[in-house]
Amino acid sequence: EILDHLSAELPEVTDWVGTVGVGIAATNVEYFDEPALAVMLCDLAPDQYRVFSGVAPLPAAHGGPGGFVAHTALLHADAQTPDVAELIAEMAERTASGYVFGGLSSSRTDTVQFALGSAGHLSGQGAAGGVFHGGLSGVAFGPDVALVSRVTQGAHPVGRTRRVTGADRNVVLTLDDEPALDVLLSELGISLDEPQAAMTRLRQTLVGITLDEPSGTGDTPQRPGAFGSEVLVRHLIGLDPMRRGIAVADMVPVGSRLAFCERHAAAARADLIRVCAEVREELEPELLSVEAAAMAGAAGAEGALAPPRMRGAIYVSCSGRGGLHFGAPSAELQTIRRALGDVPLVGFFAGGEIAHHRLYGYTGVLTVFADAA
């Protein structure tokens, strides 16, 4: 009904992409567990985007019909889809940059997406509507769509990063050749001889896993005492006293790096401000020096003194980050507004966040569109 209503009210708009969330974002306000709708209209050249879904797949990175080549993509996914993390990575391979951004749909009831494109469907799918249950959908952008994307972490390390030297699927057995459970208890300063106090602290503890270095749009190096975008935060789901191991809610290969961490509101706020500052610095640099401007003018670079201007933003945050985690309702979005400036923003609070070619947790993914440089 929403899609039909939007299409009827705005008949000149022929392509729609969206999803549902337990909370949504509209500029500097968040709406949790209440009726709300946010719509952003993007004025893009038709040859610079493609809506995709299960009935209109995104072509491979070498290009599809009409010569379109996906450079980046906004991606919505259903958490119940089998092997969803692998499908996200495969979708990233269909883009020239290897970078996708978005999140897992979240809902108290039906988890749905909508993707309606004017480019049509696969043969035999002509009767398919624009609303989908399960799978992946979204919109891919061409190389002329200027955007900058950053990942902000919501967890803070409580110990140093160690190498995984022994593991059995999702059970970490040794860290730097020491029993993983012993390392965990030592770094948290707890003992299983006092189970009530130990369990209280363990329930607050997460695991930051580094599989490889980041790649693609918006990379930043890891900062001392903080997590970079290469770190995936996962739940600690159990202990293995017999093998002195710990169980993690993901596969942990030998050779990866691991640090114990916990959610930290002040650290999350500081990191959010940092990524906003990085976006502003990249998209609104200081005016060129007189010498540089003269050189640009001599080369015929019309308008060289005018920096790119931020046009709009999409923010996908973890459903566990919104609300009171930042101190007050809408505090997370108001932090973005103060740090980024007066930029139109829409987004949602997800069951998992997508950036690069990975599925994150407890993070925010901020993507800002700009005039071409």
Side-chain angles (χ1 to χ4, degrees), residues 128-286:
V131 179
F132 301 93
H133 291 77
L136 290 76
S137 65
V139 55
F141 302 105
D144 292 343
V145 179
L147 59 85
V148 174
S149 190
R150 290 288 189 274
V151 177
T152 176
Q153 295 279 6
H156 190 72
V158 295
R160 67 182 180 89
T161 300
R162 298 171 181 266
R163 184 74 60 177
V164 177
T165 51
D168 179 11
R169 294 176 61 81
N170 70 314
V171 178
V172 180
L173 300 175
T174 57
L175 295 169
D176 292 340
D177 295 320
E178 298 181 44
L181 179 56
D182 296 348
V183 173
L184 170 64
L185 298 177
S186 174
E187 291 200 345
L188 297 184
I190 58 177
S191 171
L192 295 182
D193 294 333
E194 300 177 353
Q196 186 171 356
M199 290 307 298
T200 299
R201 186 69 193 278
L202 287 170
R203 289 192 183 99
Q204 301 171 350
T205 303
L206 303 164
V207 173
I209 306 168
T210 306
L211 302 177
D212 51 23
E213 297 303 321
S215 61
T217 302
D219 293 325
T220 53
Q222 182 172 338
R223 302 163 308 287
F227 284 156
S229 60
E230 71 280 2
V231 178
L232 305 178
V233 176
R234 297 293 186 258
H235 284 288
L236 179 66
I237 60 174
L239 309 179
D240 187 343
M242 293 295 293
R243 295 187 291 176
R244 309 302 293 172
I246 59 173
V248 178
D250 205 342
M251 298 296 107
V252 186
V254 172
S256 59
R257 287 168 288 159
L258 183 148
F260 299 108
C261 56
E262 59 188 9
R263 296 177 64 196
H264 194 288
R269 187 181 304 109
D271 198 57
L272 181 57
I273 294 171
R274 176 191 64 83
V275 298
C276 290
E278 288 181 358
V279 170
R280 290 200 62 157
E281 183 178 359
E282 182 161 345
L283 294 181
E284 295 185 347
E286 294 180 357

Side-chain angles (χ1 to χ4, degrees), residues 77 79 84-86 88-89 102-104 231-234 250 350-361 363:
V84 66
E86 289 78 6
I88 291 169
L104 302 184
V231 178
L232 305 178
V233 176
R234 297 293 186 258
D250 205 342
E353 303 77 61
I354 298 170
H356 302 277
H357 56 279
R358 307 184 181 100
L359 180 61
Y360 288 85
T363 64

Side-chain angles (χ1 to χ4, degrees), residues 6 10 13 15-18 24-27 37-44 74 101 114 139 141 310-315 340 342-347 366-370:
L6 292 173
L10 297 166
V13 180
D15 300 77
W16 294 95
V17 171
I24 69 166
T27 306
L37 172 69
V39 177
M40 175 175 281
L41 300 181
C42 299
D43 185 12
L44 302 175
L74 168 63
F101 61 95
F114 59 85
V139 55
F141 302 105
M310 291 182 282
R311 305 294 290 181
I314 295 175
Y315 185 59
L340 193 64
D342 189 14
V343 181
L345 179 149
V346 299
L366 175 66
T367 304
V368 178
F369 294 87

Side-chain angles (χ1 to χ4, degrees), residues 2-3 5-18 38-41 49 51-52 114-118 130 138-139:
I2 290 173
L3 182 57
H5 176 76
L6 292 173
S7 299
E9 293 295 316
L10 297 166
E12 68 277 16
V13 180
T14 57
D15 300 77
W16 294 95
V17 171
V39 177
M40 175 175 281
L41 300 181
Y49 71 89
V51 172
F52 61 87
F114 59 85
L116 183 64
S118 56
V139 55

